[in-house]
Amino acid sequence: MHRFGQICGALSGAAFSLMLACCAAYAGQTHQVIIQKFEFVPANLTIKRGDTVEFVNKDIAPHTASEESDFLWDTGELVRNQSARIEFTKAGTSKYFCVFHPHMKAEIIVTAN
Amino acid sequence: MKLIKIAAAAAVVAASFTAPAFAEEKMNDLEIAHTAYTAGNLDIRYAHLALALSENDAVREFASVMIRDHSAVNDEAVALIQKLDVTPQDNGLSQALVKGAAEKRAEFVKLSGKAFDCAYAQNELGYHQIVNQTVEGKFIPWTTVEPLTALLEDALVTFKAHEKHAENMVAGLHCGS
Ligand SMILES: [Cu+2]
């Protein structure tokens, strides 16, 4: 489950209380990935489960950050100086790319905390 | 006399892409701005032609990227021109580019299928190669207005990515066989 911004509000019932338990135990940090000169910087980022990554496009050309296997998460088109936040709620490795410029690739490793 | 010489040299290059560079006489900032904008617009026009005529996914994707990226670069150029309150100057090189591209489009519309895809893809590769050589080797060193130089440097990163992308597209189409 990956969504822009806070996802807690979208959940209800048992799932919601589980999420509260998780969020209370670990208030996630926010990390930045800068998209500049057709590269994701850093190209390899390790974060903890519950953390959020903010993708910021500094290029003139629009880019995306899109999960590679099945678009499990996707920033959508980011024009210059636009940013999008993705919260990572599952441990594992996320490989991602830019759908407009597919040679742009990077990964985020989410560790269980 | 000078303009005619540039135009003639540029026309030859636009037709063949074999010469190493096409801007021989030093151009001023306003001419460079005009030519850079024109080159971007021409690539957008080629891309619209490709979207109209090609059924190849790789070619269509590439064309969409060209429209998106060159529009973004040219939007920045317009914003800069408005901010500086200047008017870009038409020049022999811009005119030669426009003429060369019109001739190419006239050729391309007669083609279809793989013949069109290969002609478009190879032209995109050659076009980006020559534009990149000119922007990097001539326009960037020649410009004297800092924000224009900065814009050209940013644009060059984009155009170089396009050149790589075009190389991959040409390779994937197996046009030589
Ligand atoms: Cu991109």
Side-chain angles (χ1 to χ4, degrees):
Chain A
M1 182 80 186
H2 299 89
R3 285 289 181 270
F4 291 98
Q6 287 295 332
I7 65 161
C8 289
L11 299 167
S12 60
F16 185 52
S17 40
L18 270 177
M19 187 55 68
L20 276 181
C22 115
C23 294
Y26 177 70
Q29 285 188 324
T30 298
H31 309 259
Q32 261 194 348
V33 170
I34 305 294
I35 310 173
Q36 194 157 30
K37 294 187 187 297
F38 284 67
E39 284 176 7
F40 296 103
V41 183
N44 294 284
L45 175 66
T46 301
I47 63 171
K48 287 182 175 159
R49 188 169 62 198
D51 283 357
T52 294
V53 177
E54 181 182 39
F55 296 88
V56 187
N57 180 18
K58 293 285 182 188
D59 278 341
I60 296 178
H63 296 292
T64 77
S66 310
E67 198 277 334
E68 197 175 75
S69 71
D70 198 22
F71 293 96
L72 297 176
W73 53 268
D74 188 358
T75 61
E77 177 173 334
L78 298 176
V79 300
R80 182 174 226 184
N81 292 325
Q82 196 179 5
S83 62
R85 289 163 169 242
I86 305 281
E87 186 178 358
F88 291 81
T89 53
K90 274 186 188 163
T93 299
S94 259
K95 289 183 185 293
Y96 65 98
F97 73 120
C98 167
V99 290
F100 303 148
H101 313 105
H103 65 279
M104 295 172 60
K105 289 173 187 288
E107 69 177 22
I108 289 170
I109 297 164
V110 184
T111 59
N113 31 316
Chain B
M1 190 59 201
K2 279 180 182 175
L3 281 184
I4 291 163
K5 192 176 152 203
I6 297 168
V12 169
V13 171
S16 67
F17 301 123
T18 50
F22 62 25
E24 293 185 343
E25 306 283 340
K26 193 163 177 177
M27 293 160 65
N28 69 36
D29 291 291
L30 294 175
E31 290 171 329
I32 288 169
H34 191 282
T35 300
Y37 186 87
T38 301
N41 258 358
L42 292 172
D43 203 44
I44 291 169
R45 286 196 68 171
Y46 281 130
H48 281 293
L49 191 64
L51 288 179
L53 293 180
S54 178
E55 289 175 4
N56 180 288
D57 286 345
V59 169
R60 297 181 63 83
E61 263 177 49
F62 181 88
S64 301
V65 170
M66 292 309 105
I67 292 170
R68 187 184 299 106
D69 289 359
H70 284 288
S71 299
V73 170
N74 273 5
D75 286 352
E76 293 267 336
V78 168
L80 178 62
I81 285 159
Q82 284 172 349
K83 195 176 135 201
L84 298 175
D85 195 18
V86 293
T87 307
Q89 273 172 22
D90 197 2
N91 59 81
L93 182 53
S94 287
Q95 288 159 12
L97 282 175
V98 168
K99 186 165 177 287
E103 287 163 7
K104 282 276 170 197
R105 287 197 306 272
E107 272 175 49
F108 290 173
V109 291
K110 296 179 199 150
L111 304 173
S112 61
K114 190 177 176 182
F116 173 84
D117 293 336
C118 286
Y120 171 72
Q122 281 163 344
N123 187 57
E124 283 301 299
L125 178 55
Y127 191 74
H128 281 90
Q129 283 169 342
I130 200 81
V131 167
N132 290 346
Q133 285 168 16
T134 305
V135 171
E136 187 165 30
K138 309 267 170 99
F139 287 180
I140 288 174
W142 285 349
T143 45
T144 62
V145 180
E146 198 279 325
L148 177 59
T149 312
L151 176 59
L152 287 171
E153 281 168 349
D154 269 2
L156 182 64
V157 175
T158 305
F159 302 163
K160 282 191 168 174
H162 293 170
E163 185 180 327
K164 268 253 167 314
H165 196 160
E167 267 174 34
N168 293 339
M169 172 172 63
V170 168
L173 288 169
H174 305 290
C175 296
S177 54

